[in-house]
Amino acid sequence: MPAVMAPRAAAIRRLLPKPPPWVAMYHSIADVPDDPYRVTVSPVRFARQLHWLNDRGLRGVSVGELLEATAAGRARGLVGLTFDDGYADFLDAALPLLRAHRFTATVYVLPGRLGGENAWDEEGPRKPLLTEDGIRRIADAGMEIGSHGLRHVSLPAADDATLADETGRSRTLLEEITGATVAGFCYPYGHVDARVIRAVREAGYGHACAIDPGRLTGVYALPRVHIDDQDTSWRLTAKRALHPLRRRYPADLTSPTAARDIRGGRQVPGGDSARRSSADVS
């Protein structure tokens, strides 16, 4: 490219919409003989995946930290790490490896199933879920605790009372357990629509994760990349390279309003955030 064209090309690139930050979606870290839903990563594979990040100068962080850094323009080299469903194996299998790398993560838990099991996975295998004590230990270790709803139900089909419980009540229960603000939410099954996003905002969350929300993409519907036990180094490289192409809808995470919302806090229905939500999800 001629030297005279380089500044112009750089200026054009700055004007192009940026894809959302890279957020990896994990579930269970364990050795199991059968994994029909591809939600389990073995501890050995997980260790290799963390080494892959570290070897490339990437640092795994919680969603809250990632979004605050993005809003401040300092997210280069950061990758969001999330763990859905609140499996008890996080404590013994994932946490020590994360701490060894000085990584953090967001763990989305189900306060309506404390100490229970993943009954929503009809084909199994059955795995224990975190207790109150386990959630507190994870929070004390510096991980972010987020809500995955109360009982892991699909929210777009839920009636208003159920939706309020799954969003608002789950946050209240988790704040009672941790003694800290719970700013993050994760939509069970990745199912989300405009009504559910509004409920999450009105419940006081500052950000939320989905899977592939398309035009709903934003602070309250962040896309994520599914990670499983087949993800070797070359597959992770391919997924990271393809992320800007697959996530065609940019997320505005740098506006003053977005930066304020990311930190969480009670929203007032009808206020600025409620007005903006209708525009975000149209």
Side-chain angles (χ1 to χ4, degrees):
M1 179 183 293
V4 70
M5 293 294 293
R8 183 178 301 174
I12 291 173
R13 282 197 298 271
R14 284 195 295 270
L15 293 174
L16 293 175
K18 294 180 175 61
W22 211 62
V23 181
M25 178 178 65
Y26 286 95
H27 291 76
S28 171
I29 308 298
D31 286 307
V32 294
D34 187 33
D35 185 29
Y37 298 104
R38 295 175 54 215
V39 296
T40 308
V41 175
S42 72
V44 170
R45 178 69 72 194
F46 182 58
R48 290 173 180 169
Q49 291 169 349
L50 295 186
H51 278 294
W52 180 87
L53 292 173
N54 196 62
D55 289 347
R56 284 153 183 78
L58 302 173
R59 182 165 66 91
V61 297
S62 68
V63 174
E65 182 176 347
L66 176 66
L67 294 183
E68 287 195 15
T70 301
R74 49 179 175 80
R76 185 177 180 84
L78 300 184
V79 173
L81 299 180
T82 63
F83 294 79
D84 290 12
D85 302 340
Y87 290 102
D89 57 45
F90 181 89
L91 274 168
D92 296 326
L95 184 57
L97 291 170
L98 290 168
R99 297 186 73 173
H101 285 276
R102 298 185 179 180
F103 289 177
T104 60
T106 301
V107 184
Y108 293 111
V109 301
L110 298 157
R113 292 185 182 269
L114 295 172
E117 59 182 20
N118 56 325
W120 60 89
D121 286 337
E122 295 181 2
E123 297 181 29
R126 290 287 168 260
K127 298 181 181 181
L129 304 178
L130 289 164
T131 63
E132 285 190 26
D133 179 66
I135 292 172
R136 280 191 289 267
R137 287 171 58 192
I138 290 170
D140 290 344
M143 305 297 131
E144 179 182 31
I145 297 296
S147 172
H148 202 29
L150 278 175
R151 297 170 291 268
H152 203 288
V153 301
S154 178
L155 298 181
D159 59 38
D160 289 346
T162 299
L163 183 57
D165 268 359
E166 294 289 330
T167 55
R169 184 161 172 260
S170 69
R171 184 177 191 236
T172 298
L173 291 173
L174 288 177
E175 289 181 341
E176 291 174 354
I177 291 171
T178 64
T181 299
V182 172
F185 189 86
C186 177
Y187 304 103
Y189 306 104
H191 296 171
V192 61
D193 61 15
R195 169 175 166 263
V196 173
I197 287 177
R198 284 193 292 271
V200 167
R201 293 191 66 145
E202 291 170 3
Y205 296 96
H207 48 85
C209 279
I211 297 176
D212 192 6
R215 293 185 182 277
L216 296 175
T217 295
V219 174
Y220 286 93
L222 289 165
R224 293 180 295 166
V225 177
H226 174 77
I227 306 294
D228 63 34
D229 201 55
Q230 302 302 310
D231 284 320
T232 57
S233 176
W234 75 267
R235 281 176 55 116
L236 291 173
T237 299
K239 285 186 174 184
R240 185 160 174 79
L242 290 172
H243 174 67
L245 302 177
R246 295 184 64 236
R247 310 303 181 187
R248 295 174 299 157
Y249 301 100
D252 180 11
L253 307 180
T254 59
S255 70
T257 306
R260 181 197 65 203
D261 285 350
I262 286 164
R263 289 185 288 272
R266 301 291 175 183
Q267 303 294 333
V268 179
D272 175 67
S273 62
R275 288 194 298 271
R276 193 166 63 89
S277 66
S278 62
D280 288 345
V281 300
S282 61

